[in-house]
Every structure is written in structure tokens, then in C-alpha cells.
């Protein structure tokens, strides 16, 4: 692909489309994630896209035999194995959109049926209650439910705005609920007989202990998240650090051991086991990847499953037992993969900012692409990045910063871009570019990002029109007014604390919207969007395309049917990778 695009150049990419032969791209390697173990830990269910789209597979631990559990054409986002062993709960994303359905199926593939997320609704945060054949979940962030998989009976546990069900006590008289919008969420124990809430802590993750009284929670009340235990005797801190965050935790059904996942040193992972009786702690090492996610115990506590990834190493499923750590479904890391370095520098106002730098071979400076993650509460970490590896192979450096608003660096940092503070986050983009230039890393620079990172790309290109030679906006917000009007209602309600109220903060949101000053954008821009995206609806891309077309700005519009807020099919990701690398190399070479 060469030349300028001075018109509305829309490319709709059907599944499996390829524009030219370019050899094998890293995104064509399958990955596996979302592990769930049978009650005895002898079998693992997980999601893998080895067939071309995310589906559920079951595999005996220690064996290479794999069995597909067919749940239909829709991509699968997650799976959980019931504590009794008889059911798999499947989180399905119809059309690739952020709306989810929950389906139940036997591990042998029989008795497939839908139980939640009907119509325009969404179902999330599913969890089998330990020792009980009941699945807990939340619909539309306003209704907490339990479902009996045998009878199909649906029981409403609680209702309320922006709630999510975390756990239900064995007597079904008390529930743990997460309440509130993004950046301002807290956990309560609700008495289901009286409706009275008892505050536990600020945060989003908590479970009951086996006694139904003790609560274990990831507390965000302080600057860095910690693991706490709340009992009649008071609050006890079980795991904490002065420099690192407790990212997540999972408790064995007997309440004796906790697996604690730590976010350390700018985005690396550590995993430790905590004896909840004695307080003893031991680390699991060496870990099979630099970034770990999704730790999950089997019901009897004998086996811990998790996902591991790293540079040039796709997501893979692993288990830890008394005999050590072994792979269930994992590909080795590419031997020539570029491993990033963690860079630290001061932003315009002195705030410390970090980022992961992928350098190509040879002396610099290099053409460099700045990549911005979504969220904005997400975090750039040294995991699997096929795009980054493909660009470094072509002599282009990649810098993936964690500007203010990113998670992993404490409560103050993640809230440092709320509402009117977003101007400072946009200024962080220029601070990143200045650092790359002054340190001799970058010659020419491009910018790209997805979701909120796409918004930040558009905001930077309209605020600093001469800073970048090329840009790519992947499903980014261009106009806060239309975003709030067309996104899912539960997404809009939760976003108010982060971006602003669409009515009360109308003027602020208009000024922060890139579409307001789109006439300043003159950088060649590729716009990428999933046709079914209902998180950041496709109207956000269409406005930018129309504006650039009217002004004769070089651009390209890449539209993916059958995809939503993320590209879930491997063919779509391969096509996106080819077109992205082509666009960037055209303007950065």
C-alpha cells in the first residue's frame, strides 16, 4: 500500500482477507488464556484461538490431548469450571462486541444452553460459589443474580445502580457487592434480609471465607492496593508492599491458602503463595513469563492455574502443583524477540512517567512509534506484542508509555487524569516525544493507540499538529457527546467519574473532544474500527473520516465486520498487523 489517501478510502476486511504475501506475522501464532481447573485439578479448560477464533478447549494436565467444547460461532471471552465438576460456564461475546452472554455446557460438550445476557443486556463477573452448584453473576451492572444450572432457577440477590456481585455467603443471607463508578468503587456486605450495607473497603475484589463471615479483599483505601482480611476482630493486612501493588488474589475453597499476584517494577509479575493460618509466604519461581494473569485454584486446592506471556511469547496456560510448574498449552518465546527496557523520565510538571522501549538492532536514532494503551486505567506491560516485534524487525523503535491515568503506580497516579486533569495527560504525550528526541532514541516519530489510546492519539494530533509524521487511531473516542449518546448505558454511567458528566460537564467534554479542533489535524492518519463495537461505537470513527475527507487530509479507514471493541479473530488481527506495519513504514521510512 503506497501513496496518499485524499478521499474517504474505506477498506472493509472480510474474515481471512490478505492484501499481499508478507510471510508469517507473530499474531498468527495462537494463544491460550482464562484457565479453569476441574475440582481435582486433573483437567484444565481454557480459551484458545488455535482454530482461528477464541473457543473453549479441555485438556488433561500432563497430556497433549485436547478436546474442543463447541459453543457456537460467537467468540468466547472466558470459562469457569463448576466446583462440582459437572458444568462449564462460558462468557460469550456475540459479534465481538463488549456485550456478553453466559452459556452453560457440560465438559463433554452436551446440554449447551444460555442462561444470561439475553437481548440487549450484558452479563459479567461470573463465579461458581464454592461447594455449591450455583453460578453468581451480574447483568447490566444493576442486577445481581444466582442461577441453578440444573433447575434453571434464577434468583435475584440484589438490585441497584452500578453494582456487581462478588460473592454470596453459604447461608445466602449476605452478599458481597462492588458499588460505584470507575475510580470510586467500594465493597460492601449487604444483609439480604434487611437490605443494610456494611462498608468493607475501597476496591473491586473480595470473597467470603469458608465461614461466610470473614472477608478477604484487595483494598484500594491506601496509595497501593493490599490484601486484607476483615473479621470480627477487625482488619488485618495480609500482603502489602511500599513499592508494589497487589494486582489480584485467589483463595482456596478451604480458606487455608491465598495465591497473590503482584505488579512490580513498572509492570512485571511476581506470584506468591500465602499460608492464611501461619502467615508464611513463598514465591513461585522461576515464572514462565514476564506477565502473569488469571490465577485460579482447583476446588481441592492441589493445583493453581494461570496464564503467562512475554515479549515474543503468546499467552499460554500453566499449572503449579507440589511437583513444580508445568505447561498445559503454551508456545515458547521467539528466540530473537526484542526485550524492552524500562525508561523513566519527568513529565512537563515533574511527575515521574515510565514506559517500555523496544529498540531495533543498529545504532540510533531510529524512526519511532509511540503506542498508548486503553483504559485509561490499563497498564502497558512487557507482554506479548506482535506489532512491536514486527516494527522492530523493520528498524522502527516502539515506545509504550504509562502516562498519568494508568494503573499499576498507585491511587494518585491512576486518578491524575480525571475530568479537567485530562489536559495534563495530553501534555504527557509531548513529554514522551521530548524524552525520545533528547535521549537520542527517535529521529522521526509516529503515534498510535487503541480505545482510550486512540482518543489520546487524536487529542495529540489536534493539539500538537506538527509533532508526528503519521498516526493510527484504533477505536478511539473522537467526540465525548456522541460517545455518551451511543455507548452502552452501563458503560456511560460508569465513565462519568473518569471523563465527566455529559450534561454538567458539557463544555469541558466539548473542549477535550478531538473533533472540536479536527481542522488542525493534518498528519496522515489511519482509522481502525470494529463494526460491532458498542463500547466506542463506530460513529466515533466515521466523524473523523468524514472530517479528514472534507479537508483532503491523507487517511485510510479500516473497518472490520464481525468484530467489536477488540479484534478477536486471528485473521482479523493478522490483517490489522499487515496494514498497520505498511502504513507506518510508508510514512516513517
Amino acid at each position: 500500500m503506497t501513496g496518499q489517501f485524499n478521499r474517504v478510502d474505506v477498506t472493509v476486511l472480510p474474515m481471512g482477507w490478505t492484501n499481499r504475501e508478507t510471510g508469517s506475522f507473530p499474531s498468527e501464532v495462537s494463544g491460550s488464556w482464562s484457565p479453569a481447573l476441574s475440582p481435582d485439578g486433573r483437567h484444565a479448560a481454557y480459551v484458545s484461538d488455535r482454530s482461528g477464533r477464541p473457543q473453549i478447549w479441555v485438556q488433561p494436565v500432563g497430556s497433549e490431548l485436547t478436546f474442543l467444547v463447541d459453543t457456537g460461532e460467537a467468540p468466547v471471552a472466558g470459562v469457569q469450571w463448576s466446583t462440582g465438576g459437572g458444568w462449564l460456564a462460558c462468557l460469550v461475546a456475540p459479534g465481538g462486541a463488549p456485550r456478553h452472554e453466559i452459556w452453560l455446557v457440560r465438559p463433554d460438550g452436551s446440554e449447551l444452553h444460555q442462561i444470561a445476557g439475553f437481548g440487549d443486556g450484558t452479563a459479567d463477573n461470573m463465579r461458581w460459589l464454592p461447594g455449591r452448584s450455583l453460578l453468581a453473576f451480574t447483568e447490566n451492572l444493576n442486577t445481581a443474580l444466582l442461577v441453578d444450572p440444573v433447575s434453571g432457577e434464577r434468583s435475584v440477590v440484589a438490585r441497584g445502580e452500578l453494582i456487581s456481585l462478588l460473592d454470596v455467603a453459604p447461608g445466602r443471607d449476605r452478599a458481597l457487592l462492588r458499588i460505584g463508578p470507575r475510580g470510586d468503587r467500594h465493597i460492601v456486605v449487604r444483609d439480604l434480609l434487611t437490605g443494610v450495607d456494611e462498608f468493607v473497603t475501597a476496591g473491586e475484589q473480595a470473597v467470603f471465607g469458608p465461614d461466610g463471615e470473614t472477608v478477604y479483599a484487595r483494598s484500594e483505601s491506601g496509595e497501593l492496593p493490599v490484601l486484607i482480611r476483615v473479621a470480627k476482630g477487625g482488619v488485618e493486612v495480609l500482603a502489602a508492599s511500599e513499592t508494589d501493588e497487589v494486582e489480584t488474589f485467589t483463595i482456596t475453597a478451604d480458606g487455608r491458602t491465598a495465591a497473590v499476584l503482584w505488579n512490580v517494577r513498572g509492570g512485571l509479575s511476581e506470584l506468591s503463595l500465602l499460608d492464611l493460618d501461619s502467615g508464611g509466604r513463598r514465591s513461585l519461581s522461576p515464572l514462565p513469563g514476564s506477565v502473569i494473569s488469571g490465577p485460579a485454584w482447583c476446588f481441592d486446592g492441589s493445583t493453581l492455574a494461570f496464564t503467562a506471556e512475554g515479549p515474543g511469547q503468546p499467552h499460554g496456560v500453566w499449572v503449579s502443583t507440589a511437583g513444580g510448574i508445568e505447561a498445559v498449552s503454551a508456545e515458547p518465546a521467539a528466540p530473537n524477540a526484542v526485550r524492552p527496557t524500562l525508561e523513566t523520565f519527568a513529565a512537563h510538571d515533574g511527575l515521574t512517567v515510565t514506559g517500555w522501549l523496544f529498540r531495533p538492532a543498529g545504532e540510533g536514532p531510529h524512526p519511532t512509534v509511540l503506542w498508548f494503551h486503553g483504559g485509561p486505567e490499563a497498564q502497558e506491560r512487557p507482554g506479548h506484542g506482535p506489532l512491536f516485534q514486527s516494527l522492530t524487525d523493520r528498524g522502527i523503535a516502539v515506545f509504550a508509555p504509562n502516562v498519568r491515568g494508568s494503573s499499576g503506580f498507585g491511587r494518585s497516579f491512576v486518578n491524575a487524569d480525571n475530568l479537567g486533569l485530562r489536559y495534563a495527560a495530553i501534555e504527557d504525550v509531548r513529554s514522551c516525544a521530548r524524552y525520545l528526541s533528547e535521549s537520542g532514541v527517535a529521529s522521526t516519530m509516529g503515534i498510535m493507540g487503541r480505545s482510550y489510546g486512540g482518543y489520546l492519539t487524536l487529542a495529540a494530533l489536534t493539539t500538537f499538529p506538527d509533532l508526528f509524521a503519521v498516526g493510527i487511531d484504533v477505536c478511539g473516542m473522537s467526540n465525548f457527546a456522541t460517545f455518551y449518546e451511543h455507548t452502552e448505558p452501563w458503560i456511560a454511567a460508569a465513565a462519568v467519574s473518569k471523563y465527566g458528566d455529559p450534561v454538567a460537564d458539557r463544555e469541558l467534554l466539548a473542549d477535550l473532544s478531538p473533533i472540536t479542533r479536527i481542522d488542525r489535524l493534518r498528519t496522515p492518519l489511519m482509522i481502525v474500527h470494529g463494526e460491532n463495537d458498542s463500547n466506542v461505537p463506530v460513529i466515533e470513527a466515521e466523524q473523523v473520516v468524514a472530517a479528514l475527507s472534507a479537508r483532503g487530509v491523507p487517511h485510510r479507514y479500516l473497518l472490520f465486520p464481525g468484530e467489536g471493541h477488540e479484534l478477536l479473530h486471528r485473521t482479523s488481527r493478522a490483517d490489522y498487523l499487515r496494514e498497520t506495519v505498511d502504513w507506518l513504514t510508508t510514512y516513517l521510512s
Side-chain angles (χ1 to χ4, degrees), residues 79 155 164 283 370 459 488 530 549 581:
V79 60
S155 304
S164 187
S283 295
L370 277 75
E488 302 284 8
S549 179
V581 170

Side-chain angles (χ1 to χ4, degrees), residues 218-236:
R218 177 183 181 267
S219 174
E220 300 176 30
S221 294
E223 181 62 27
L224 296 173
V226 301
L227 175 62
I228 64 171
R229 176 165 52 197
V230 183
K232 292 182 179 180
V235 178
E236 179 185 4

